[in-house]
Structures are given as structure tokens and as C-alpha cells.
Amino acid sequence: MSRWKAKHDKEHYYKLAKKQNYRSRASYKLKQLDKKYDLLKKDYNVVDLGAAPGGWSQVVAEKIGEEGTGSIISVDLEYIKPIDHEAYTGIKGDFTTIEVQEMITELIDGKADIILSDASPKLTGIKDIDNFRAYDLSMAVLSISDNILKKEGTLIMKAFQGETYHDLIKELKKKFKIVKTTKPNSSRKRSSEMYVIAQRFKGANKNNNS
């Protein structure tokens, strides 16, 4: 029965995304996180790392609206079909490189209010390897905060429960004053994915780095 429900939930959000013209069912994860925690604002500069196909960026552009003064920068190694919004910019590149990070800060003329990452590593099906790949990706996103996130800014990212999960939370708490974890209704119940809401970034400080 739980397998049937998981399949039903997946199909429900997939069909809803098609109906409402979202590129991914994952859009509903960000919508639900925003509804719960009131994260996105019309005047925020938001950076979406590992953004393809652009479902989360669509939600941000929608939140900014026509009157907002914010921006959304989407970065991925894969091509992202542009979002029809003047606040949107897409970058095809590796977000772990200094070149791409400098490009981001130039585009927003400063640093981001929010960093988003719904990225997942390439999975092998071998639990231990996948665990460490997920941890490495999360740590890469976290380390980028030093370069592109404003002091007191917010990081919202996917993480996976497993052997390294608590190590990641510990590292996040070194850099952010508030760290919460949650699972949106649109996440499959059987999935090990969680979402981290890390708020009030302490700022780039060598003493906070791991």
C-alpha cells in the first residue's frame, strides 16, 4: 500500500506540473517550503545551483513577479531553457569554479540573499558511494556560500539521510545561526531526501570553515 501511495503521489505532482506548466514536479517542493517558512521575497537576489531543468527557478521568477526588483540566476552544467522573465539569467557552467562564482556576483552586483540547490549527485546504486557523493555535493554548495551569499542570508538545499547526514548538519551549524530540516509533502515518503533551511549566514570567516 505504501508503494502504491508513493507512486500515486509521484504521478499526482507530475501531472500537476504538466497542467500548471512547471518544468519539474520538484517545483512543488520549493513552493511548499516557501509557504511553510516564508523564504522568498520580491526584492531578493536568488541563485539556483544545479538548476536544470529550471523548476525551482520558475517558482522564484513567479514570486518576484512583474513588480519585483529581485533576480534569479540559474546555474547548471546542462543547458537550461531560458525562463521568460526579465529578472532571469542562466549560466551554463560549473558552479564550483571561481570564474562562475565571480560571474554570479557581477550579475547581481553583490551577493545573493538566498542560495538554492535541489541538485543530486550521479547515483551508482551502491549505498556507501552514493552517500559520500551526496555529502561531497552538499559540502561544495556550502563552501560556495562564503563567496556568493550575503551575511544573514539563507541557504536552502537538498540533503540525503545516511552515514554523513549528521556531519553535514554539524558543518552547516558552524556557518549559520539557524538550521532546520524538513520534508515537503511533494517528496516521496520512501525517499531519503531531506531539505535543509539554513538561515542567518554568519558570513565568510576562516574560523567557520571546516
Side-chain angles (χ1 to χ4, degrees):
M1 186 172 176
S2 61
R3 187 177 296 174
W4 176 87
K5 188 177 186 309
K7 185 178 179 184
H8 176 269
D9 289 347
K10 184 178 180 181
E11 288 176 351
H12 168 71
Y13 285 107
Y14 175 79
K15 288 176 181 176
L16 198 59
K18 289 287 186 185
K19 185 179 179 181
Q20 297 184 341
N21 294 316
Y22 286 116
R23 297 180 183 180
S24 166
R25 58 187 293 275
S27 296
Y28 297 98
K29 297 175 186 177
L30 182 57
K31 286 173 78 74
Q32 289 164 3
L33 291 172
D34 183 41
K35 185 177 180 181
K36 184 174 182 179
Y37 295 105
D38 190 26
L39 300 164
L40 303 171
K41 308 293 181 186
K42 291 179 182 291
D43 62 342
Y44 276 5
N45 291 317
V46 181
V47 178
D48 188 1
L49 302 176
W56 276 29
S57 295
Q58 277 183 298
V59 173
V60 177
E62 187 179 82
K63 189 77 177 192
I64 291 170
E66 296 305 316
E67 305 299 322
T69 57
S71 64
I72 172 66
I73 313 294
S74 302
V75 188
D76 203 288
L77 286 169
E78 296 179 18
Y79 171 75
I80 306 169
K81 183 182 176 184
I83 292 169
D84 186 19
H85 194 294
E86 62 179 12
Y88 172 81
T89 305
I91 298 173
K92 186 176 185 293
D94 182 350
F95 62 72
T96 65
T97 65
I98 292 297
E99 290 79 12
V100 169
Q101 291 169 38
E102 286 178 347
M103 198 183 302
I104 291 167
T105 54
E106 283 174 21
L107 283 166
I108 59 181
D109 193 24
K111 294 191 175 184
D113 295 283
I114 294 183
I115 294 175
L116 304 175
S117 180
D118 192 35
S120 295
K122 289 185 178 179
L123 301 176
T124 64
I126 302 168
K127 188 176 178 181
D128 289 345
I129 293 174
D130 290 344
N131 227 312
F132 284 103
R133 282 190 177 183
Y135 177 76
D136 286 345
L137 178 59
S138 297
M139 288 302 294
V141 171
L142 178 57
S143 68
I144 288 164
S145 300
D146 286 338
N147 295 334
I148 68 171
L149 185 63
K150 281 181 182 176
K151 190 173 182 181
E152 296 292 316
T154 297
L155 169 63
I156 305 164
M157 71 174 176
K158 178 155 64 184
F160 293 90
Q161 295 177 52
E163 190 179 336
T164 57
Y165 180 69
H166 293 292
D167 292 334
L168 173 63
I169 300 302
K170 194 182 296 182
E171 293 303 318
L172 281 157
K173 286 180 176 178
K174 291 178 184 177
K175 289 179 178 282
F176 292 85
K177 294 174 185 174
I178 300 169
V179 177
K180 306 168 187 172
T181 59
T182 188
K183 189 170 209 174
N185 291 333
S186 48
S187 284
R188 287 185 296 241
K189 298 296 181 285
R190 292 163 66 94
S191 170
S192 66
E193 74 177 16
M194 294 290 288
Y195 284 85
V196 178
I197 315 295
Q199 296 172 299
R200 302 193 64 194
F201 180 51
K202 296 175 184 178
N205 187 330
K206 291 180 180 179
N207 294 329
N208 287 334
N209 291 342
S210 57

